[in-house]
Amino acid sequence: MPRRNTALESLRQLCALVSPFSTRDQLLADWPSDPPWQALLAQADTHRLLPALSVALARHGLEDRVDADVADILAAVADWNTERNEGFRRQMRVLSAAFNAAGLEPVWLKGALTLLPAHGPADGRLMMDLDVWFAGESRQRAAMAVLRGLGYASESEVAGPRHYPPFFHPGEMARVELHCTIVGPHEALLPVDVAAAGVESLDWDGLRIARLDPLSRVLCSLAQCTSPDSERLATAEVPLMKALDFATRIHDDFGGVVPPALIARVRETGWERSTQRLLTLTESFFGLPNPLASDPALVRMLERITSWPRWHHSLKAFRSLFGAGGRMVLANPRRAPAMVSHYVARLIAPGAPKER
């Protein structure tokens, strides 16, 4: 009899529970006789899905299926996340008001959109920061002045490939990431002028804010998960929360069908292969129908890191030593201690995703 892989079982059950495509009947039909709750909680923590798990169980009326001690943990996490998101929402409103006073209409991106009234602050999204964009350098400089006027500080005003260095406020929870592009350095996927042309203005209880159009929103979400030169999602550098965001965008904005315009854009810009792999993963784990040919490379990598995380990181270290990482060490031997320290840290806590 093959050995039971509890970690992978728990990851698949977690993804089924939080998926926007799941129904209560489907979940009950596949409900295990002895759910591995501790392993499931560990996977939810690794992939920043603990609040989403709590909300999903309530949405499907499955709270009575949860062990009492697990229910207590999830309730505490849900309360904490609700309070935290309400604080983020208040911060976002203060920022929007200040931008408006300076004649600016902020374009809120990514997780910040879940704080709008249509979703509410307790939707289960674990927030890390607030992302905002203004088209044009002059508006971005004006936005920086507003942030400084509110007491925010940043390391510099030199733009990176996607946003300026984060702005921090000693009295606020969220750092603010002021974007100069949407998906830089992969500008071809969503050029700034195309994104700006599709911006949708909104009235948010008297505040003037904006968001990207649906296609631009899902392209932004796609770039958070993968890119032609990276498999960040499957190496745990990006948690599955990002893939769930992508699947949820398609579920909410396109009726659960990957839009042909997205397929056309990724083919035009050289993103087809990485998108194939992502869509294979989101179909396998979240049930999002994949219109492209299956490419299970990303699924296999995620299964491997879930089942044997230390082996996965050992293999990565070996490949790095005889690849670009080895060349870096030869060129600059002082890098070696940092690389060893990073490898040891990943062996000690192999499930911890990198901050993004």
Side-chain angles (χ1 to χ4, degrees), residues 24 44 46 73 82 116-117 190 213 217 221 256 292 335 354:
R24 174 182 166 83
T46 293
I73 293 171
T82 297
L116 300 182
L190 182 56
D213 65 273
R217 292 200 296 271
S221 187
L292 297 176
R335 288 177 175 265
K354 290 184 180 178

Side-chain angles (χ1 to χ4, degrees), residues 14 17-18 41 44 49-60 62-63 70-71 73-79 81-82 122-124:
L14 168 68
L17 283 165
V18 300
L41 288 181
L49 290 171
L50 274 173
L53 174 59
S54 177
V55 169
L57 289 166
R59 181 173 70 246
H60 293 297
L62 297 172
E63 299 99 324
V70 174
I73 293 171
L74 289 175
V77 169
D79 290 344
N81 196 61
T82 297
D123 68 337

Side-chain angles (χ1 to χ4, degrees), residues 34-355:
D34 182 22
W37 284 112
Q38 296 304 319
L40 196 149
L41 288 181
Q43 292 299 327
D45 183 44
T46 293
H47 291 284
R48 298 181 191 161
L49 290 171
L50 274 173
L53 174 59
S54 177
V55 169
L57 289 166
R59 181 173 70 246
H60 293 297
L62 297 172
E63 299 99 324
D64 61 339
R65 296 272 177 155
V66 182
D67 293 346
D69 56 342
V70 174
D72 289 343
I73 293 171
L74 289 175
V77 169
D79 290 344
W80 169 81
N81 196 61
T82 297
E83 182 178 357
R84 179 179 167 86
N85 281 2
E86 285 173 346
F88 275 41
R89 186 172 185 266
R90 287 191 296 270
Q91 184 178 351
M92 186 174 162
R93 289 189 63 82
V94 170
L95 288 165
S96 296
F99 289 138
N100 285 178
L104 299 170
E105 185 178 86
V107 183
W108 293 104
L109 305 173
K110 303 186 320 187
L113 297 177
T114 67
L115 301 176
L116 300 182
H119 302 281
D123 68 337
R125 178 60 152 80
L126 181 59
M127 298 287 296
M128 305 302 293
D129 47 41
L130 292 171
D131 292 84
V132 66
W133 174 60
F134 298 88
E137 186 176 355
S138 62
R139 289 191 182 93
Q140 292 158 18
R141 295 292 170 184
M144 287 185 204
V146 170
L147 289 167
R148 288 194 298 270
L150 290 173
Y152 287 82
S154 180
E155 292 180 356
S156 76
E157 295 184 359
V158 179
R162 191 168 298 184
H163 54 72
Y164 295 90
F167 285 81
F168 295 89
H169 191 291
E172 298 287 5
M173 289 188 295
R175 65 178 182 251
V176 177
E177 293 193 341
L178 176 61
H179 282 244
C180 50
T181 71
I182 309 299
V183 297
H186 303 286
E187 198 69 22
L189 183 70
L190 182 56
V192 166
D193 57 342
V194 172
V199 164
E200 302 173 346
S201 295
L202 302 171
D203 182 289
W204 188 25
D205 297 335
L207 297 172
R208 301 189 317 279
I209 66 169
R211 64 182 180 182
L212 302 175
D213 65 273
L215 179 60
S216 295
R217 292 200 296 271
V218 79
L219 288 169
C220 178
S221 187
L222 171 69
Q224 290 291 299
C225 299
T226 190
S227 67
D229 57 0
S230 172
E231 297 293 0
R232 296 175 302 159
L233 184 69
T235 57
E237 293 182 10
V238 174
L240 276 177
M241 179 186 75
K242 298 291 188 179
L244 178 61
D245 284 350
F246 175 73
T248 301
R249 285 258 170 260
I250 293 175
H251 177 273
D252 292 352
D253 293 339
F254 297 97
V257 178
V258 177
L262 182 145
I263 301 301
R265 183 71 59 83
V266 300
R267 283 176 172 158
E268 291 167 3
T269 55
W271 281 60
E272 183 171 7
R273 185 178 182 186
S274 58
T275 302
Q276 263 184 292
R277 293 179 170 183
L278 175 64
L279 287 172
T280 303
L281 183 144
T282 51
E283 180 175 55
S284 176
F285 283 88
F286 296 117
L288 169 64
N290 175 17
L292 297 176
S294 178
D295 184 340
L298 208 57
V299 172
R300 289 171 182 162
M301 290 177 70
L302 184 58
E303 288 176 340
R304 186 178 70 200
I305 195 173
T306 301
S307 303
W308 307 286
R310 288 179 174 83
W311 166 250
H312 173 86
H313 290 297
S314 296
L315 183 60
K316 278 191 68 182
F318 179 82
R319 288 175 173 172
S320 177
L321 180 62
F322 290 96
R327 291 192 294 272
M328 284 192 299
V329 171
L330 290 174
N332 185 358
R334 288 178 296 178
R335 288 177 175 265
M339 292 181 69
V340 171
S341 175
H342 172 76
Y343 168 61
V344 171
R346 299 303 282 178
L347 287 183
I348 294 171
K354 290 184 180 178
E355 189 84 4

